[in-house]
Amino acid sequence: MIPFLMTLACFNAAATETPSADHLKTVDAETVDWKAKELPYWKEVLSDEQVRVCRQAGTERPWSSPLNEAKGSGAYTCSSCGLALFDQDAKFDSGTGWPSFTAPVADEAVSLHSDIAFGMTRTEVKCGRCDAHLGHVFNDGPAPTGKRYCINGVCLLKDPSTQ
């Protein structure tokens, strides 16, 4: 019962804000040492909700992200560092309330980590370039991978150059 209440508390946090990419416009994202950036930097360039989810491993409320309904071709990039993470072709409606994908664009785009928080054993998904918490991956997705990368929408930007 306690894990459920803790999870419910996460869902009742502040509403998901539309992620901004303004901080990525002023840097060469390929040359920045993103993993060296500390929390004060992220608090300056990300919204409060992005900091809570991406940098402090929080969870956005289900069905709160406009990316749940996003259609059309395009890449989904990390809202912290701009790395391409997922493609629209891998997106599917999982009915869970979070954007879901069958696979990342490349194995190195994400890193996987054991997560035993809240009395559950899950596999956490992080950005391969900046270590932003993205969500979790489960073995209940559709073909061809059987995976469901359940990703917080606030951690993603839909790349406008590919829409």
Side-chain angles (χ1 to χ4, degrees):
M1 186 65 165
I2 296 298
F4 171 75
L5 293 176
M6 289 179 190
T7 302
L8 186 59
C10 291
F11 296 153
N12 288 328
T16 298
E17 303 164 17
T18 302
S20 170
D22 290 345
H23 68 285
L24 297 173
K25 295 176 184 173
T26 60
V27 299
D28 179 359
E30 299 293 322
T31 62
V32 173
D33 183 0
W34 293 105
K35 291 182 181 179
K37 301 291 184 189
E38 295 185 5
L39 192 57
Y41 169 81
W42 296 115
K43 286 183 175 184
E44 285 183 28
V45 300
L46 300 177
S47 71
D48 291 345
E49 179 75 347
Q50 286 174 300
V51 170
R52 187 182 70 74
V53 177
C54 301
R55 309 317 311 180
Q56 299 173 324
T59 301
E60 70 184 357
R61 289 187 351 255
W63 295 284
S64 63
S65 174
L67 293 180
N68 285 333
E69 305 302 322
K71 305 278 190 247
S73 64
Y76 292 83
T77 64
C78 176
S79 65
S80 292
C81 74
L83 180 68
L85 299 171
F86 300 96
D87 189 76
Q88 182 69 34
D89 292 341
K91 189 171 185 271
F92 69 99
D93 183 1
S94 66
T96 62
W98 290 277
S100 297
F101 304 86
T102 57
V105 295
D107 289 341
E108 61 274 7
V110 300
S111 61
L112 305 179
H113 306 268
S114 178
D115 178 1
I116 57 170
F118 305 116
M120 299 177 275
T121 301
R122 300 179 291 176
T123 302
E124 179 184 19
V125 180
K126 290 186 175 187
C127 174
R129 181 158 68 186
C130 73
D131 280 340
H133 168 78
L134 302 173
H136 294 87
V137 62
F138 303 94
N139 293 318
D140 60 1
T145 66
K147 302 287 185 189
R148 173 174 52 98
Y149 287 81
C150 189
I151 307 299
N152 291 286
V154 73
C155 302
L156 301 173
L157 299 167
K158 180 97 186 262
D159 185 349
S161 67
T162 61
Q163 289 183 353

